[in-house]
């Protein structure tokens, strides 16, 4: 039997159409885990990252975490969490949060730090307080970087949330792990495909958000820079809703 | 009025930015700090709005130590313009300009109405309001920066090399605009530049600084150009001081002659409204350089006379109509008669 046949079997299975083992239910479970983990990560890492980026203190933490994030053995963490906390939500949420937090922290810190120093200087100089400068000037300026960090985190979390099934919880990992355990390859392949599709869909959603977060005019500049070979924000799409640039570039 | 009393800034690493400055910046006038890079001029400017805190001495604003107010509140009462404009890229132009009024608690509608007024005041078309900073040219961004600084109508305006990053033509336009604004608003302006031409053009008073914020000379532009305090200042002022000084004298002193049918075989051709078109001799045509006696400087008049093939500069009124001519000899006569010019004089013409 080939791939397509397996996939057909997977989606044709009535158990995958409705009930607790249905595709919709498993996808929702998967998303719920992932969103919870991402939410926790944001709750912890975002304020810390913003403060580190704004104050410039503790940047070494960011540098260190940027490397650690990729080397994190999630499966090992899950096992450890199960040993420490027993089987349950926490055993999955904690490792996933630990996985999602570093990219969010790094992005928040880098994004805020990357705010144009002149813009920051002007903000302070015309009378914004530090919290106002951070929240009204630096955070919007950091938004594209921040969203890119969230995108990285969310994709990693969605991919890794598959391990939730390993400790007996739901989500798309159920298909993969149960399928492997029972040598039911259609189920494994179907589950894997769904994980990939989900990750791609979330990627696309973030790509759209990132595009919307860049202020009009800067996108035009990015395109111009791209043509001359300089590297800048890789969002070379014009927003049709934005008013036309006042200064036309000459071809 | 801004008063510096022994204001000094020493960095933690021991380097001295400003050794100890005593300076009065009079209200309602433009005072320009000029000097080579690293002379401490920006540090001095930033002491006024506490972007830099002096390590010794103090800065008084209308008699009150600037350290006595919370920094943010102090700054909302002081206009601040910097070199790269520093506009908020994610906010529309109108909301950039409305920033300080909003911080002061104005409601959005009133703040935006005020911002729209300001945009008009600095010569930006109304449709600019809805755009984002990155959609404007450098010169336009700088105008928005000035509008933002003026939005809450602060009595004091600090300008840190605001026109240095734009090309010379745009810079000249912005300088012209600032002179017009200042004539209208009468703010206490403290302006920092490294460009002596700009200093002489914009300043009622020019403070030439050397290292560590020491004052090499404090004078009105004319005195500065004609009587530099020492060789160092003279070198900083550069060549052609005398000639450039003419740019500070009004052309009104030039005696005008009535228009004549011909000037040594040259004939001045006017259009239907009486505006000069060109000089003609036989089939030969040359542009006719003009000056406006009520607006331009002696330097413009001399320049026009030197460039005219007939040797006669054409004087024009506000509508550009020829009202008379001045020969090179007449201009030189006015030069000879002109003593030191006290008080306000027109600035260098186009």
């Amino acid at each position: 039997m080939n791939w397509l046949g397996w996939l057909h079997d997977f989606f044709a299975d009535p158990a995958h159409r409705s009930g607790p083992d249905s595709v919709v239910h498993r996808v929702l479970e998967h998303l719920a885990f992932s969103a919870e983990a991402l939410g926790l990560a944001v709750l912890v890492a975002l304020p810390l990252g913003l403060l580190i980026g704004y104050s410039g203190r503790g940047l070494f933490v960011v540098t260190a975490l940027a490397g650690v994030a990729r080397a994190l053995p999630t499966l090992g963490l899950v096992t450890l969490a199960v040993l420490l906390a027993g089987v349950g939500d926490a055993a999955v949420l904690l490792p996933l949060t630990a996985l999602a937090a570093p990219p969010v922290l790094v992005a928040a810190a880098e994004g805020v730090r990357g705010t144009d120093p002149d813009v920051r200087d002007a903000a302070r100089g015309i009378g914004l307080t530090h919290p106002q400068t951070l929240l009204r000037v630096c955070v919007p300026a950091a938004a594209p970087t921040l969203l890119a960090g969230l995108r990285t985190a969310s994709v990693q979390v969605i991919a890794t949330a598959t391990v939730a099934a390993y400790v007996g919880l739901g989500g798309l990992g159920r298909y993969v792990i149960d399928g492997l355990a029972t040598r039911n390859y259609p189920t494994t392949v179907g589950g894997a495909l769904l994980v990939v599709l989900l990750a791609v869909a979330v990627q696309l959603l973030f790509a759209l958000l990132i595009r919307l977060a860049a202020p009009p005019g800067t996108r035009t500049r990015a395109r111009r820079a791209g043509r001359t070979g300089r590297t800048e924000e890789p969002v070379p799409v014009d927003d049709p809703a934005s008013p036309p640039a006042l200064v036309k570039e000459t071809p | 009025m801004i008063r510096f009393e022994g204001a000094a800034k020493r960095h933690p690493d021991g380097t001295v930015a400003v050794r100890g400055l005593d300076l009065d910046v009079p209200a309602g006038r433009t005072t320009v700090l000029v000097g080579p890079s690293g002379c401490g001029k920006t540090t001095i400017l930033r002491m006024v709005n506490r972007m830099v805190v002096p390590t010794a001495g103090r800065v008084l604003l209308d008699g009150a130590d600037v350290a006595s107010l919370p920094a943010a509140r102090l700054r909302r009462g002081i206009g601040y313009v910097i070199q790269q404009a520093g506009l908020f890229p994610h906010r529309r132009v109108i909301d950039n300009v409305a920033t300080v009024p909003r911080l002061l608690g104005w409601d959005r509608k009133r703040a935006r109405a005020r911002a729209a007024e300001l945009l008009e005041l600095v010569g930006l078309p109304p449709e600019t309001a809805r755009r984002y900073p990155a959609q404007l040219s450098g010169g336009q961004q700088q105008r928005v920066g000035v509008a933002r600084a003026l939005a809450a109508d602060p009595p004091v305006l600090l300008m840190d090399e605001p026109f240095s990053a734009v090309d010379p033509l745009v810079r000249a336009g912005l300088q012209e605009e600032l002179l017009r604004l200042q004539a209208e608003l009468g703010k206490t302006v403290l302006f920092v530049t490294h460009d002596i031409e700009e200093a002489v053009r914009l300043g009622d008073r020019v403070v030439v600084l050397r290292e560590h914020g020491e004052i090499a000379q404090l004078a009105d532009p004319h005195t500065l150009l004609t009587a530099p305090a020492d060789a160092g200042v003279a070198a900083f002022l550069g060549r052609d001081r005398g000639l450039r000084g003419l740019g500070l004298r009004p052309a009104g002193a030039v005696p005008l002659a009535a228009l004549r049918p011909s000037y040594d075989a040259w004939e001045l051709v006017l259009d239907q409204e009486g505006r000069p078109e060109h000089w003609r001799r036989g089939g030969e045509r040359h542009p006719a350089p003009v000056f406006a006696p009520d607006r331009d400087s002696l330097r413009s008049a001399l320049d026009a006379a030197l460039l005219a093939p007939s040797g006669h500069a054409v004087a024009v009124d506000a509508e550009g109509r020829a009202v008379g001519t001045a020969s090179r000899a007449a201009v030189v006569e006015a030069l000879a008669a002109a003593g030191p010019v006290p008080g306000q004089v027109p600035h260098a013409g186009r």
Side-chain angles (χ1 to χ4, degrees), chain B residues 56-89:
Chain B
R58 55 184 193 157
V59 181
L60 305 176
L61 189 61
D62 289 328
D65 192 331
V66 295
S68 63
L69 273 179
R73 205 161 104 217
L74 169 80
R75 290 171 188 156
R76 287 169 197 174
I78 299 175
Y80 185 51
V81 188
I82 60 172
Q83 186 177 346
Q84 301 289 351
L87 303 178
F88 306 142

Side-chain angles (χ1 to χ4, degrees), chain B residues 164-247:
Chain B
S164 299
V166 294
D167 68 67
L169 203 65
V170 173
R171 188 182 313 145
L174 289 169
Q175 289 169 346
E176 192 95 3
E177 201 73 12
L178 180 63
L179 287 170
R180 184 185 63 75
L181 274 177
Q182 176 62 350
E184 195 175 317
L185 303 176
K187 300 287 182 190
T188 305
V189 179
L190 189 58
F191 190 107
V192 160
T193 181
H194 62 265
D195 176 358
I196 186 69
E197 293 295 332
E198 183 166 73
V200 165
R201 185 159 184 220
L202 296 179
D204 296 312
R205 304 199 320 157
V206 178
V207 183
V208 182
L209 297 167
R210 55 179 164 234
E211 281 205 331
H212 307 308
E214 284 174 9
I215 298 177
Q217 187 169 10
L218 193 169
D220 66 87
H222 181 261
T223 308
L224 188 67
L225 283 171
T226 50
D230 56 40
V233 176
F236 185 68
L237 286 166
R239 299 174 57 175
D240 306 328
R241 280 188 287 114
L243 201 52
R244 279 153 47 200
L246 291 181

Side-chain angles (χ1 to χ4, degrees), chain A residues 118-129 132 136-137 140-141 215-218 221 242-247, chain B residues 46 49 51 72 75-76 78 80 82 84-91 99-100 103 130-132 134-137 140 148:
Chain A
D118 287 325
V119 172
R120 257 181 83 158
D121 185 73
R124 298 282 299 140
I126 65 175
L128 273 75
T129 60
Q132 285 169 338
R136 300 188 192 180
V137 177
T218 53
R221 212 159 49 195
S242 73
L246 198 62
V247 201
Chain B
R46 288 163 69 92
N49 63 355
M51 293 295 280
R75 290 171 188 156
R76 287 169 197 174
I78 299 175
Y80 185 51
I82 60 172
Q84 301 289 351
L87 303 178
F88 306 142
H90 58 285
R91 288 201 196 169
T99 304
V100 179
L103 288 174
R130 313 243 341 125
R131 295 186 202 284
Y132 287 86
Q135 296 171 320
L136 305 183
S137 69
Q140 288 172 323
R148 182 173 67 178

Side-chain angles (χ1 to χ4, degrees), chain A residues 143-169:
Chain A
T145 313
L146 195 55
L147 286 170
L150 281 175
R151 177 174 62 180
T152 308
S154 65
V155 169
Q156 286 184 2
V157 166
I158 286 172
T160 314
T162 316
V163 302
Y166 179 74
V167 292
L169 292 170

Side-chain angles (χ1 to χ4, degrees), chain B:
Chain B
M1 189 187 76
I2 306 165
R3 166 171 287 172
F4 294 85
E5 285 182 356
K9 177 67 184 177
R10 176 192 289 272
H11 292 297
D13 66 2
T15 52
V16 174
V18 179
R19 186 161 284 154
L21 178 77
D22 294 297
L23 176 69
D24 280 354
V25 178
R29 312 295 296 275
T30 302
T31 301
V32 180
L33 302 176
V34 64
S37 48
C39 72
K41 52 192 189 294
T42 291
T43 305
I44 292 169
L45 178 103
R46 288 163 69 92
M47 284 178 181
V48 178
N49 63 355
R50 270 177 62 193
M51 293 295 280
V52 169
V53 177
T55 45
R58 55 184 193 157
V59 181
L60 305 176
L61 189 61
D62 289 328
D65 192 331
V66 295
S68 63
L69 273 179
R73 205 161 104 217
L74 169 80
R75 290 171 188 156
R76 287 169 197 174
I78 299 175
Y80 185 51
V81 188
I82 60 172
Q83 186 177 346
Q84 301 289 351
L87 303 178
F88 306 142
H90 58 285
R91 288 201 196 169
R92 292 180 192 279
V93 163
I94 187 108
D95 292 324
N96 261 285
V97 177
T99 304
V100 179
R102 292 283 288 154
L103 288 174
L104 292 172
W106 299 24
D107 63 62
R108 185 182 298 270
K109 203 174 148 204
R110 185 172 158 225
R112 283 198 168 168
R114 170 69 180 157
E117 270 174 44
L118 260 302
L119 289 177
E120 192 189 337
L121 183 71
V122 299
L124 286 169
E127 62 267 24
T128 319
R130 313 243 341 125
R131 295 186 202 284
Y132 287 86
Q135 296 171 320
L136 305 183
S137 69
Q140 288 172 323
Q141 289 186 22
Q142 228 23 279
R143 283 170 196 260
V144 176
V146 173
R148 182 173 67 178
L150 290 171
D153 202 18
V156 175
L157 197 53
L158 305 178
M159 307 184 83
D160 189 2
E161 306 222 18
F163 307 146
S164 299
V166 294
D167 68 67
L169 203 65
V170 173
R171 188 182 313 145
L174 289 169
Q175 289 169 346
E176 192 95 3
E177 201 73 12
L178 180 63
L179 287 170
R180 184 185 63 75
L181 274 177
Q182 176 62 350
E184 195 175 317
L185 303 176
K187 300 287 182 190
T188 305
V189 179
L190 189 58
F191 190 107
V192 160
T193 181
H194 62 265
D195 176 358
I196 186 69
E197 293 295 332
E198 183 166 73
V200 165
R201 185 159 184 220
L202 296 179
D204 296 312
R205 304 199 320 157
V206 178
V207 183
V208 182
L209 297 167
R210 55 179 164 234
E211 281 205 331
H212 307 308
E214 284 174 9
I215 298 177
Q217 187 169 10
L218 193 169
D220 66 87
H222 181 261
T223 308
L224 188 67
L225 283 171
T226 50
D230 56 40
V233 176
F236 185 68
L237 286 166
R239 299 174 57 175
D240 306 328
R241 280 188 287 114
L243 201 52
R244 279 153 47 200
L246 291 181
L248 298 173
R249 299 181 177 204
V254 177
L256 297 183
L259 294 171
R260 299 203 302 263
S262 84
Y263 297 76
D264 301 330
W266 286 98
E267 186 192 342
L268 181 64
V269 179
L270 305 176
D271 70 7
Q272 284 172 340
E273 269 85 59
R275 287 187 284 257
E277 271 190 345
H278 52 259
W279 288 103
R280 185 173 67 195
R281 184 175 65 186
E284 218 182 320
R285 288 176 177 200
H286 280 276
V290 301
F291 70 100
D294 52 342
R295 279 176 293 132
D296 285 340
S297 64
L298 260 183
R299 191 179 185 180
S300 305
L302 180 61
D303 193 54
L306 289 171
L307 288 173
S310 62
H312 293 261
V314 182
V316 295
D317 63 14
E319 276 76 48
R321 290 185 298 249
V323 293
T325 56
S327 65
R328 288 171 189 163
V331 176
V332 171
E333 196 181 306
L335 294 185
V341 184
Q344 278 283 35
V345 289
H347 292 266
R350 280 141 294 246

Side-chain angles (χ1 to χ4, degrees), chain A residues 72-100:
Chain A
L72 208 64
T74 316
L75 202 60
L77 273 183
V78 172
T79 315
L80 186 66
V82 169
L83 288 176
L84 291 178
V87 173
D89 283 14
V92 178
L93 274 183
L94 288 180
L96 287 184
T97 303
L99 183 72

